[in-house]
Amino acid sequence: MDTASQRAGGADVICLKGQVIAVRGTILEVALDGPLPPISAALRCQISDDHWITAVVHAHVGDAQVRAIALESTRGLRRGAAVESDAAPLTVPVGRELLGRVVDLHGRPLDGGPSLDALPRRPVHRPPPPPGQRRPWGEVYETGIKAIDLFCPFLHGGRAAVFGGAGVGKTIVLTEFIHNAVEGLRGAAVFAGIGERSREGLELYEEMRRRGVLDQTAMVFGQMKEAPGARFMVGLAALSVAEHLRDELGLDVLFVVDNLYRHVQAGMEVSGLLGRLPSRVGYQPTLAADLALIEERITATRRGDMISVQAVYVPADDYGDPAVTHAFWHMDSSLVLSRDIAAEGFYPAVDPLNSSSKALDPAIVGPRHHEVAEEARRILARFEELRDIISMLGIDELAREDRLLVGRAHRLRNFLTQPFFVTQAFTDRGGRRVSVRDTVEGAAAIVEGRCDEIPEDKLFMIGALSEVTGG
């Protein structure tokens, strides 16, 4: 048995034994001899002589039984199967050695590399840092993506999310962000793949390796095929890895999650298996607490910086969905991707009128940036109001001032498109990274009318405005 006493070189620890008395999907009822292990303690359940699975204590049932959530398939598990526990919490290996590696929730390699059993381990379930240890927001984090930096700037120490339905480009935006961020990263990146498709995980791994930044990245995956308990906890495990890099090694950490909605979905499955009555739209009654469990741990501390960017799937493009609205509450920057904008061929398909950021404040980004962003939003909002009139009567029926504004809106929308490095193989367009200064000055030139003579199509899929003006 791989108990804590063996890992610690023979130190005296509790060693509990028991047996499985009921199996309901991945929920187990276990009877134990001796004191009950605490909530979140790990159990090992024997399926065969050489096959054990891990479960986590969820509740105490009576004086001698616990209810546990299995983290692996229970196929083949029988009533009466042996159970062992050292009463220690579920842990994940941590340390600099994880950089460049791909592991699962338990720290087992998925990349064919050497074992990580010798590394120190850290509990998966941990409290958030106390308020006295937290650090307030820092300066604006430059992403190099024009639509983000202009309308929805990210913050050092902040939480940012990319919201969108299926197929609008969440993972592409996230991957481009990782590409731009890791190249100049002074610390490390941790990627949490929650409910990832195997194909997506492999593509991201190959992209990081091709760009030469894999050695700065730790990847923790709970794939779509995993049990719901594993998918529910993999984000917490990845966060424990990130916290160790931040707090113990003092590194600046980029924490990326794809996809936060899968965390909610896994929690909903676990909740159903536990027999809880569903809440709104079928979600678990603990939805708010489940999201807070992971979001409140994502913060910068006095020991190190952390910025988090998370993809959030929007079911049926319904932004009133409870999972989406709960996620919105936790975010400092919310980037909304629009299916309508994507259908028109504008990528990234950012909806500037619905995206928001607490950083878009004159005190943080500066008066110039704030003024340009607000004027750009005003022009785009007016353009949306005029769309129906244009479609019915044509643009020539508009007043001269409105025709001028529509032209600037078209130029602005084209300017905010951008070729990505990570899509270069598919589009045959070289990627562009644009500084915040060039983004703001380019947008300012358009909204102030200095680009009224430039053909609209010249601004499509470029980087800085200087590529067209030669300035």
Side-chain angles (χ1 to χ4, degrees):
M1 170 184 169
D2 182 19
T3 62
S5 63
Q6 291 170 320
R7 293 196 298 269
D12 291 333
V13 294
I14 299 172
C15 184
L16 301 171
K17 295 184 180 295
Q19 62 180 1
V20 175
I21 59 174
V23 182
R24 293 194 300 273
T26 56
I27 302 301
L28 312 178
E29 300 283 345
V30 177
L32 292 161
D33 301 326
L36 297 181
I39 303 298
S40 298
L43 308 176
R44 297 179 71 245
C45 308
Q46 186 177 29
I47 289 183
S48 63
D49 291 342
D50 58 351
H51 185 196
W52 295 70
I53 65 170
T54 303
V56 173
V57 175
H58 173 76
H60 291 177
V61 183
D63 297 330
Q65 295 178 19
V66 298
R67 183 171 294 127
I69 302 170
L71 304 183
E72 296 154 86
S73 171
T74 55
R75 182 174 297 173
L77 186 66
R78 302 182 181 89
R79 292 178 60 189
V83 176
E84 297 176 343
S85 175
D86 56 15
L90 181 70
T91 58
V92 63
V94 296
R96 196 181 293 271
E97 293 82 357
L98 276 170
L99 297 180
R101 301 299 305 275
V102 185
V103 299
D104 67 5
L105 165 67
H106 306 282
R108 295 179 296 222
L110 299 176
D111 55 6
S115 170
L116 299 165
D117 289 343
L119 293 183
R121 301 183 74 89
R122 191 179 182 113
V124 167
H125 289 279
R126 293 175 52 81
Q133 291 296 320
R134 298 185 182 218
R135 212 168 63 211
W137 295 329
E139 59 189 17
V140 170
Y141 191 100
E142 185 174 294
T143 68
I145 302 173
K146 292 181 289 188
I148 296 177
D149 289 337
L150 181 63
F151 293 113
C152 188
F154 294 172
L155 283 163
H156 281 277
R159 293 184 288 262
V162 182
F163 292 89
V168 296
K170 296 184 301 299
T171 300
I172 293 294
V173 170
L174 214 63
T175 309
E176 180 74 4
F177 171 80
I178 296 171
H179 170 271
N180 290 350
V182 174
E183 280 194 341
L185 192 65
R186 297 188 299 273
V190 177
F191 182 87
I194 304 176
E196 282 281 285
R197 301 175 183 88
S198 300
R199 170 186 57 77
E200 292 174 338
L202 179 61
E203 287 175 356
L204 181 64
Y205 175 80
E206 292 295 339
E207 180 67 28
M208 295 297 101
R209 186 170 65 176
R210 185 164 55 250
R211 298 291 176 184
V213 296
L214 186 62
D215 60 350
Q216 291 176 270
T217 308
M219 306 176 78
V220 186
F221 282 99
Q223 294 169 279
M224 194 174 280
K225 65 179 182 180
E226 303 289 340
R231 286 183 274 118
F232 184 62
M233 293 184 189
V234 70
L236 301 172
L239 194 46
S240 292
V241 172
E243 287 171 332
H244 179 83
L245 296 174
R246 179 194 65 194
D247 297 336
E248 304 302 325
L249 302 184
L251 298 177
D252 292 344
V253 178
L254 172 66
F255 184 63
V256 182
V257 179
D258 189 7
N259 187 296
L260 185 66
Y261 183 77
R262 304 298 179 199
H263 175 76
V264 172
Q265 201 171 39
M268 183 166 52
E269 293 177 51
V270 169
S271 182
L273 289 167
L274 288 169
R276 295 179 183 145
L277 289 174
S279 184
R280 290 175 57 202
V281 201
Y283 286 109
Q284 63 269 42
T286 56
L287 173 61
D290 290 346
L291 277 172
L293 197 67
I294 188 169
E295 296 297 341
E296 286 302 304
R297 288 171 59 184
I298 301 173
T299 182
T301 68
R302 302 192 183 281
R303 297 180 181 178
D305 192 16
M306 181 184 288
I307 179 173
S308 173
V309 183
Q310 307 168 42
V312 183
Y313 168 68
V314 180
D317 292 339
D318 177 13
Y319 285 88
D321 186 271
V324 177
T325 55
H326 279 76
F328 263 115
W329 294 345
H330 291 281
M331 301 304 164
D332 304 309
S333 302
S334 299
L335 186 74
V336 174
L337 301 185
S338 165
R339 187 172 306 281
D340 291 338
I341 293 174
E344 292 182 66
F346 293 100
Y347 290 98
V350 175
D351 184 346
L353 302 180
N354 288 311
S355 299
S356 63
S357 172
K358 294 176 182 176
L360 197 58
D361 184 297
I364 299 175
V365 298
R368 173 68 167 169
H369 186 157
H370 180 263
E371 180 184 338
V372 170
E374 288 301 303
E375 179 61 16
R377 272 204 177 120
R378 185 192 71 81
I379 289 174
L380 293 173
R382 179 59 179 160
F383 170 66
E384 290 299 320
E385 293 172 1
L386 295 170
R387 271 178 176 263
D388 288 342
I389 296 175
I390 295 170
S391 63
M392 289 187 293
L393 303 177
I395 194 169
D396 293 335
E397 296 301 315
L398 298 179
R400 180 181 179 280
E401 181 182 344
D402 284 338
R403 289 201 302 273
L404 201 61
L405 182 143
V406 168
R408 290 175 186 174
H410 286 163
R411 289 174 177 81
L412 192 59
R413 297 178 87 208
N414 283 350
F415 174 68
L416 291 173
T417 61
Q418 186 170 344
F420 282 178
F421 291 96
V422 297
T423 59
Q424 187 170 336
F426 309 104
T427 63
D428 203 28
R429 293 176 183 265
R432 304 285 195 280
R433 181 174 184 170
V434 185
S435 69
V436 173
R437 180 180 178 278
D438 287 344
T439 295
V440 172
E441 290 308 313
I446 293 171
V447 300
E448 292 167 4
R450 287 181 274 138
C451 297
D452 288 352
E453 302 305 317
I454 297 177
E456 296 170 9
D457 61 324
K458 295 290 185 183
L459 300 176
F460 185 73
M461 282 294 170
I462 64 169
L465 187 61
S466 58
E467 292 185 24
V468 175
T469 61

